[in-house]
Amino acid sequence: MEALIPVINKLQDVFNTVGSDSIQLPQIVVLGSQSSGKSSVIESVVGRSFLPRGTGIVTRRPLVLQLIYSPLDDRENRSAENGTSNAEEWGRFLHSKKCFTDFDDIRKEIENETERAAGNNKGICPEPINLKIFSTHVVNLTLVDLPGITKVPVGDQPEDIEAQIKDLVLKYIENPNSIILAVTAANTDMATSEALKLAKDVDPDGRRTLAVVTKLDLMDAGTDAIDILCGRVIPVKLGIIGVMNRSQQDIMDQKHIDDQMKDEAAFLQRKYPTLATRNGTPYLAKTLNRLLMHHIRDCLPDLKTRVNIMATQFQSLLNSYGEDVSDKSQTLLQIITKFSSAYCCTIEGTARNIETTELCGGARMGYIFHETFGRTLDSIHPLAGLSKMDILTAIRNATGPRPALFVPEVSFELLVKRQIRRLEEPSLRCVELIHEEMQRIVQHCGNEVQQEMLRFPKLHEKIVDVVTQLLRRRLPHTNVMVENIVAIELAYINTKHPDFHKDAALVPSLLKTDSDPYSQINLGQRRANTPRNHMSPQISSQSAGSQQPQQPPQPNNPQQQYSQVHEQNHVGENSTSSMASTWLSNILPPAPTRPDSIENSTNNTPIHNNIVSPVKPVNLLPDVPANHNPRRLTDKEQKDCDVIEHLIKSYFYIVRKSIQDSVPKAIMHFLVNYVKDNLQSELVTHLYKSDRAETLLNESDHIAVRRKEAADMLKALTRANHIISEIRETHMW
């Protein structure tokens, strides 16, 4: 059991060497209000006066004190080189290799270190001072002396000094492996003890709290501390021990601690004879030693588990930093191969570490192809940007000065090409999105590769530059191919396409209406059954066998006369025009002709349900202002527009479907697959075969430092695990 505390001291040395406090070791934390006598208790336990003393706040940095019992035959801690082979006691700081045999020098060193970090005007610093004291008179203990709890800032202390000290104290006493030594002065009310309050907050069961009552000799006359020491006022599970410290006058008179111990024993025998054996500094030291040993025994299994876990973590961390580079050429080639493989695996979706928070690599490309690009094309309406007057204007421009019997083919091609061109911009934008994603993959292509990139920053920059240049060279070729896909569709309007042929077959149904009398009876029957004075002032097309044109009735007013003349510009009257073949006859299936049918009949009576606004009315006569009011389309104009719209929709859907399928294929071939196939060769050409290959593998400074820290920590953890295993085997735990 007695060997447990040296084991913890060795572990403390191990972790102090690497500057780590990630492992919380068992220790005794001395907690109390300012000037409650904490430092005096520690000096009494040590048996020497070595701590800074004075009024107000004196302890301004945590002091981690390791007391190590070192007999004269101790060869582990004693050495002739540092002059400690025959010394009874000496001290050594962690920040200094010097051995101090004069305890006044130890006090001065503590004061200098405190002023260096915390200033010289009452400021505090959370950075601890580590001190080991080897002696033939001490018991093995690890004590932590903390700044006293204060309320009002003094000197250059900040306004939140109370909160700072409280946070510092909680950092140490919240350690479940620590024993709390709550120090309270006997001449104060125990119910107002800040030390006991904080101890109860972090240790409500009291399993690791021991109370110490100081200044028993300073209590008011006629009072004693029997009820306090017996736990009748505030019970403490581990007990309450009373001690008597040196007064400030005794310190100034340099009263020796041995003399103080004799005076303390005499005072206890005189004032508290029944409690003398269970109080005093010697009993306190033995109690602390016993409590710490039992506490170490209870904490050792969890401590070993924690050490093993951290050893595994630091081993993985050290592996991620890699080993020192011996053969730079071989290492460079391995990194290039690893990066190329990781890049391709990220695109193909076969990467070892798959991202779960967002789409990346090939999955993001698929989303761009099928969701972003597909939805964008689907959102483009075939007739977007086309009005009725645009279509009608295109039809009239395609006919020239001659009135047309049928819808001209040129107008359809002109309008459908205009709509197809709208598909080019989203297609090129799709190329840009894929290019951006392939550039982004460089930063997200595997943790192993990323570690290598962090390790060699110059190599990382060069790899990014090579990949960027490769993608930049392929981008114009891909854009040209996508533009050619759209240009191919514009180059030849295939009106014999099977899907378009089926939709074009529905055009005759658009040319027929229920209100058209010529769709059911022949012209002769219509004339025989209809009185002459009831006929509408219209111009009708003649049948194929008619030789003489029918004369329309004379208009009764100028407006009617103008209407007839205007409508004659749209309707042909000779039989040769009605028999001419048009572009629609090339795409429509052959239909049987009826002898009694009227071909190319047109009802030009204006209807009131088809109203459109011209984009910009044209004024043919300079002296006459243009009519800005919407004009009603005639029946023939409406039918012509419906035919063109129907055909544009049909052909646009065919082209859109083709482009939606062809553009992703072109991008995959000209950009994605090309980069995958040529990435490694590009990297080898620009990196491995270059003159700067040696300089690319120069490690960054912080990686080298971190590797050394991880290696030192792993070595310390391995040693700590070995020490714990030995003590467990010795005590059969």
Side-chain angles (χ1 to χ4, degrees), residues 337-604:
T337 304
K338 187 186 297 184
F339 175 82
S340 302
S341 176
Y343 191 92
C344 296
C345 288
T346 304
I347 294 177
E348 296 170 358
T350 58
R352 184 177 303 176
N353 299 317
I354 298 178
E355 184 68 38
T356 58
T357 58
E358 63 175 351
L359 294 178
C360 64
R364 195 177 188 89
M365 293 180 187
Y367 182 86
I368 293 172
F369 286 147
H370 305 299
E371 298 294 333
T372 306
F373 179 58
R375 289 179 180 178
T376 302
L377 293 188
D378 292 341
S379 65
I380 301 177
H381 194 272
L383 300 177
L386 281 182
S387 65
K388 294 282 188 180
M389 290 306 299
D390 291 336
I391 297 174
L392 189 60
T393 301
I395 294 174
R396 289 179 174 177
N397 288 336
T399 60
R402 299 176 301 278
L405 295 176
F406 307 102
V407 180
E409 180 180 2
V410 177
S411 61
F412 164 72
E413 290 194 7
L414 176 66
L415 295 174
V416 79
K417 286 182 179 180
R418 170 180 169 181
Q419 298 306 103
I420 291 174
R421 288 191 182 93
R422 298 170 62 89
L423 302 175
E424 183 176 7
E425 183 178 353
S427 301
L428 294 176
R429 179 56 183 159
C430 181
V431 177
E432 294 179 9
L433 293 177
I434 298 298
H435 175 267
E436 293 172 0
E437 178 58 25
M438 296 191 71
Q439 186 70 47
R440 181 172 170 267
I441 293 177
V442 179
Q443 308 297 335
H444 303 83
C445 59
N447 293 332
E448 297 179 359
V449 179
Q450 293 303 318
Q451 288 295 334
E452 300 291 350
M453 298 298 101
L454 293 175
R455 183 181 177 188
F456 306 111
K458 293 183 179 179
L459 178 61
H460 180 214
E461 295 177 2
K462 194 63 178 177
I463 287 178
V464 172
D465 183 61
V466 172
V467 176
T468 302
Q469 293 299 328
L470 178 60
L471 292 172
R472 190 173 297 171
R473 290 201 308 270
R474 295 307 303 172
L475 187 60
H477 296 80
T478 309
N479 285 333
V480 169
M481 184 59 198
V482 170
E483 292 172 353
N484 287 338
I485 291 175
V486 179
I488 289 171
E489 298 293 342
L490 295 172
Y492 179 65
I493 304 301
N494 184 16
T495 56
K496 285 294 185 179
H497 193 282
D499 296 337
F500 184 70
H501 191 66
K502 295 176 183 178
D503 290 334
L506 301 176
V507 171
S509 63
L510 298 175
L511 297 176
K512 296 180 181 180
T513 60
D514 295 338
S515 62
D516 188 1
Y518 298 108
S519 62
Q520 301 294 334
I521 59 175
N522 60 30
L523 183 60
Q525 292 174 338
R526 180 173 178 272
R527 289 173 178 170
N529 298 329
T530 304
R532 183 176 182 86
N533 56 353
H534 287 229
M535 295 181 62
S536 300
Q538 300 177 1
I539 305 298
S540 303
S541 301
Q542 303 303 317
S543 62
S546 175
Q547 299 296 329
Q548 298 295 330
Q550 297 292 331
Q551 298 295 330
Q554 295 298 324
N556 296 326
N557 52 62
Q559 179 66 30
Q560 186 177 9
Q561 182 179 4
Y562 172 78
S563 175
Q564 291 181 1
V565 173
H566 176 72
E567 292 177 3
Q568 286 175 3
N569 293 332
H570 296 81
V571 183
E573 295 183 353
N574 56 56
S575 59
T576 58
S577 297
S578 64
M579 295 296 294
S581 61
T582 67
W583 65 283
L584 282 176
S585 64
N586 294 328
I587 63 175
L588 292 177
T593 57
R594 294 172 52 187
D596 57 345
S597 63
I598 305 299
E599 295 183 358
N600 300 323
S601 62
T602 305
N603 185 2
N604 290 326

Side-chain angles (χ1 to χ4, degrees), residues 90-101:
W90 70 95
R92 186 169 65 237
F93 289 93
L94 179 64
H95 63 269
S96 175
K97 300 300 182 181
K98 179 181 178 181
C99 290
F100 295 84
T101 56

Side-chain angles (χ1 to χ4, degrees), residues 27-29 177-181 208 210 238 291-292 295:
Q27 57 191 4
I28 299 173
V29 180
N177 295 333
S178 65
I179 294 176
I180 304 173
L181 189 65
R208 54 187 183 92
L210 175 67
L238 295 183
L291 290 175
L292 186 58
H295 195 64

Side-chain angles (χ1 to χ4, degrees), residues 283-323:
Y283 180 78
L284 174 62
K286 294 178 182 179
T287 302
L288 290 175
N289 179 265
R290 176 177 54 83
L291 290 175
L292 186 58
M293 284 192 300
H294 285 84
H295 195 64
I296 291 172
R297 182 191 61 186
D298 296 337
C299 296
L300 209 56
D302 293 337
L303 188 62
K304 179 175 176 59
T305 302
R306 177 64 176 162
V307 168
N308 289 334
I309 293 175
M310 290 193 62
T312 303
Q313 294 174 346
F314 275 92
Q315 182 64 59
S316 301
L317 182 62
L318 185 61
N319 294 338
S320 66
Y321 291 143
E323 300 179 355

Side-chain angles (χ1 to χ4, degrees), residues 40 80 168 181 256 269 284 512 577 601 627 642 672 701 714 720:
S40 296
L168 177 61
L181 189 65
H256 200 275
Q269 286 291 342
L284 174 62
K512 296 180 181 180
S577 297
S601 62
N627 182 17
D642 291 343
V672 180
D701 295 336
L714 181 61

Side-chain angles (χ1 to χ4, degrees), residues 18 47-48 55 85 89 120 167 213 233 371 565 589 593 604:
V18 295
R48 296 299 298 265
T55 59
S85 57
E89 50 192 4
N120 54 7
D167 293 341
V213 179
V233 178
E371 298 294 333
V565 173
T593 57
N604 290 326

Side-chain angles (χ1 to χ4, degrees), residues 24-79:
Q24 296 177 324
L25 298 174
Q27 57 191 4
I28 299 173
V29 180
V30 183
L31 169 66
S33 299
Q34 183 174 301
S35 300
S36 61
K38 303 184 305 301
S39 299
S40 296
V41 170
I42 294 176
E43 285 183 340
S44 298
V45 172
V46 175
R48 296 299 298 265
S49 178
F50 64 97
L51 295 176
R53 305 301 295 270
T55 59
I57 183 169
V58 178
T59 304
R60 298 186 289 130
R61 287 182 63 181
L63 175 66
V64 180
L65 176 63
Q66 291 178 261
L67 302 182
I68 302 173
Y69 173 70
S70 177
L72 294 176
D73 59 350
D74 183 10
R75 293 293 175 258
E76 182 179 356
N77 297 313
R78 295 178 179 270
S79 173

Side-chain angles (χ1 to χ4, degrees), residues 635-653:
D635 189 36
K636 180 181 184 304
E637 291 172 344
Q638 181 62 38
K639 290 179 181 180
D640 291 347
C641 291
D642 291 343
V643 169
I644 291 295
E645 288 179 354
H646 178 76
L647 296 177
I648 289 175
K649 286 182 180 180
S650 175
Y651 199 81
F652 182 85
Y653 289 144

